[in-house]
Amino acid sequence: MGAKGSKVKKNPVPIGGTITPIDRATLDLKNSRDRLSKYRKKLNLDAAKLATRAKALHADGNKSYALKIMKLRKYKLQEADRVEEQLLTVLRMVDKISEKQNEQEVIAAMKRGKDALQILHDEMGIDDVMNLMDDIRDQD
């Protein structure tokens, strides 16, 4: 009895490694991008509905209310433009992070290459090369 609940559970090891602050920032930016895109679509849809409603009110002869609806539509369109600018900023930031990560990988690869060349150079010095070339010339 009670054997099921009596086992001590260990903390699970995260699959796929740890999440770096850069990964977290990129994920947050992409989530922001998605939220902004949805909000922009909603604003555009609302503006379209308001335009349709204003046309119907104008056709019914209620010009003053139709004008108020058109002002609200204009506000929605301006808000959509602001959201679009924010979205572009977020997209630029995601691209910059990606670009800097690629740059960092290239620099790390260049450093590893330089270190490998240094090791090879240390293994075979100038004197060894000169002696080898002299030996080759002597054989001929």
Side-chain angles (χ1 to χ4, degrees):
M1 280 216 266
K4 275 187 175 179
S6 63
K7 287 186 179 180
V8 177
K9 294 183 180 181
K10 296 179 182 177
N11 290 336
V13 177
I15 298 173
T18 59
I19 298 174
T20 66
I22 294 171
D23 294 337
R24 173 58 57 196
T26 304
L27 178 65
D28 289 345
L29 285 170
K30 288 182 179 181
N31 286 337
S32 295
R33 175 199 63 196
D34 294 343
R35 282 193 306 269
L36 286 170
S37 293
K38 286 180 185 177
Y39 185 53
R40 183 188 58 189
K41 286 178 186 176
K42 180 187 176 302
L43 287 171
N44 287 333
L45 183 64
D46 288 349
K49 287 180 182 178
L50 288 171
T52 304
R53 188 170 168 200
K55 284 179 186 177
L57 287 169
H58 183 67
D60 290 343
N62 197 348
K63 280 187 175 183
S64 63
Y65 195 60
L67 281 173
K68 289 177 185 177
I69 296 288
M70 289 303 290
K71 286 181 183 179
L72 181 60
R73 177 182 177 268
K74 182 179 177 182
Y75 170 76
K76 294 275 186 178
L77 290 174
Q78 288 172 344
E79 182 69 17
D81 290 341
R82 281 193 292 274
V83 168
E84 182 71 26
E85 288 298 318
Q86 290 175 344
L87 186 59
L88 288 173
T89 302
V90 167
L91 290 173
R92 280 189 217 112
M93 289 176 76
V94 169
D95 288 342
K96 278 285 189 196
I97 289 172
S98 176
E99 179 182 320
K100 291 297 177 183
Q101 282 179 322
N102 288 339
E103 224 174 83
Q104 189 177 25
E105 288 173 10
V106 168
I107 290 171
M110 290 171 69
K111 186 177 187 290
R112 286 191 305 269
K114 181 194 81 72
D115 292 343
L117 282 173
Q118 185 65 41
I119 290 169
L120 290 172
H121 183 46
D122 290 344
E123 286 178 5
M124 183 171 281
I126 293 273
D127 294 334
D128 294 335
V129 172
M130 295 303 281
N131 289 339
L132 181 61
M133 290 179 71
D134 288 341
D135 290 344
I136 291 173
R137 261 189 251 131
D138 290 341
Q139 283 181 356
D140 288 338

